Amino acid sequence: MPHLIGPRIHLREYREDDFSAIRSWINDPEVASHLSPIFDRVQTEAMTRTYVDDVLHNRIPGHRFIVADRDSDRYIGQVDLRTTDDPSHQASLAIVIPRREDRGQGYGREALTLLLDFAFDRLNLHKVWLEVFAANAPAIALYESLGFSRDGVLREDVYRDGRYLDMYLMAVLAREWRGRRRDT
Ligand SMILES: CC(C)(COP(=O)(O)OP(=O)(O)OC[C@H]1O[C@@H](n2cnc3c(N)ncnc32)[C@H](O)[C@@H]1OP(=O)(O)O)[C@@H](O)C(=O)NCCC(=O)NCCS
């Protein structure tokens, strides 16, 4: 499992003791409101246990990292790069920084910079894409500032709280990421 080290955080493998940090937010409705509809359902301890065990035993494809403070190793969040075997060299990503006081501190930008360097320089991927709620302005601002483009709108894609919500499909290509890294 790769270990990606940045100035303030590192992306490391899951450990058994991350279970309680994950449980602390997994049924928080504010956090869930930004994430996939899977989180609209109550997540039991057994469900979280199965997920963590699957990650620990490499039973889920792709790369799943804990975002942690580089010095103290404090859990800050999670980021996934979901690769497949298909020949188009793509992966999707997902990120969560669950605690409100950790947001807006630059952790998300640093985590995604490490992840995109890994995706394009080490895995040699061609494209990284994601889906985001059209109303999630902070996340969209972050993705655009990292070079993601809005490739499409999934209109009225998720039914939540009595309304159908639009999702944006966003993506960044390897050459776009490398060009941006050269310019900064
Ligand atoms: C979205 C999320 C990953 C961003 O991570 P973060 O650590 O809070 O963001 P950063 O501090 O690295 O900010 C990076 C950029 O994001 C944008 N941003 C962050 N917070 C913002 C806010 N409240 N309003 C508008 N833009 C914001 C800005 O462009 C910012 O760049 P700047 O600092 O140069 O202005 C994080 O807030 C989060 O996990 N939120 C809840 C779950 C979620 O929305 N996940 C994404 C699902 S697609």
Side-chain angles (χ1 to χ4, degrees):
M1 179 69 182
H3 180 205
L4 311 178
I5 306 172
R8 291 199 301 153
I9 59 164
H10 63 142
L11 305 189
R12 61 158 173 81
E13 78 289 352
Y14 280 54
R15 291 196 308 245
E16 183 55 48
D17 58 6
D18 296 315
F19 178 82
S20 57
I22 296 170
R23 284 300 297 167
S24 71
W25 65 263
I26 201 107
N27 288 309
D28 178 333
E30 190 279 335
V31 181
S33 73
H34 304 297
L35 304 180
S36 122
I38 294 166
F39 295 95
D40 289 346
R41 280 180 287 144
V42 171
Q43 301 288 306
T44 63
E45 274 205 30
M47 290 158 88
T48 310
R49 178 82 268 152
T50 301
Y51 176 75
V52 171
D53 284 350
D54 283 348
V55 176
L56 289 173
H57 295 100
N58 294 317
R59 289 195 286 257
I60 308 181
H63 301 272
R64 279 148 212 265
F65 296 96
I66 298 293
V67 181
D69 184 273
R70 180 178 155 160
D71 297 327
S72 69
D73 203 31
R74 177 178 73 85
Y75 170 102
I76 294 170
Q78 289 158 244
V79 63
D80 298 347
L81 188 67
R82 298 168 185 169
T83 48
T84 60
D85 285 338
D86 78 53
S88 54
H89 306 117
Q90 300 186 12
S92 63
L93 77 74
I95 181 167
V96 62
I97 310 279
R99 295 170 73 219
R100 262 60 102 211
E101 56 271 38
D102 284 333
R103 295 185 197 158
Q105 309 286 323
Y107 295 133
R109 180 186 299 285
E110 195 174 320
L112 292 187
T113 299
L114 289 169
L115 193 76
L116 291 168
D117 278 344
F118 173 68
F120 293 127
D121 294 345
R122 286 173 59 185
L123 299 184
N124 209 21
L125 294 180
H126 179 63
K127 182 196 275 195
V128 174
W129 60 273
L130 57 86
E131 289 178 15
V132 57
F133 283 98
N136 191 347
I140 292 167
L142 170 60
Y143 302 143
E144 285 178 341
S145 76
L146 290 169
F148 282 78
S149 297
R150 199 185 301 170
D151 283 3
V153 182
L154 306 173
R155 293 180 307 135
E156 303 194 4
D157 200 52
V158 172
Y159 184 72
R160 185 171 269 168
D161 298 330
R163 290 188 306 147
Y164 290 100
L165 304 174
D166 289 352
M167 305 287 295
Y168 292 154
L169 180 62
M170 301 186 75
V172 61
L173 304 176
R175 63 175 176 276
E176 295 166 345
W177 178 248
R178 293 201 182 105
R180 187 167 283 266
R181 293 295 266 158
R182 266 197 306 275
D183 297 342
T184 50

